[in-house]
Amino acid sequence: MKVMSLNLLDANLGEEYKIKGILTEDEELDSFLFSLGCYSGEPITVVSRFKSGCVVSIKDARYNIDNDLAGAIAI
């Protein structure tokens, strides 16, 4: 049985999720997300969505991230 993994592209607007992990082999991207407070166990909320990305809320801050980045954040 295969477990379906969700990422931020699958998130409902305004719903809080826990980050399960960062799905990337890119160490720079991984450390950039960590510096934003985006790591396993942290709550994250998609505040708004647009064609090329979305705005997320992490630790009382809001960040504009593109779809590639959103796809790398497992929830």
Side-chain angles (χ1 to χ4, degrees):
M1 184 170 111
K2 185 175 180 173
V3 176
M4 185 70 172
S5 169
L6 298 178
N7 60 44
L8 281 186
L9 298 174
D10 305 310
N12 295 321
L13 286 179
E15 192 173 325
E16 186 176 277
Y17 295 88
K18 291 275 186 215
I19 297 171
K20 291 185 179 172
I22 307 301
L23 309 173
T24 182
E25 299 295 317
D26 185 340
E27 287 185 31
E28 273 187 47
L29 178 61
D30 197 41
S31 58
F32 170 71
L33 287 170
F34 188 83
S35 74
L36 300 181
C38 186
Y39 45 82
S40 293
E42 257 329 286
I44 189 167
T45 305
V46 176
V47 178
S48 64
R49 194 180 307 282
F50 43 94
K51 191 175 184 177
S52 62
C54 58
V55 175
V56 296
S57 174
I58 307 169
K59 291 188 172 191
D60 298 327
R62 290 185 179 198
Y63 303 101
N64 183 358
I65 62 173
D66 66 20
N67 286 329
D68 291 337
L69 205 49
I73 300 172
I75 54 173

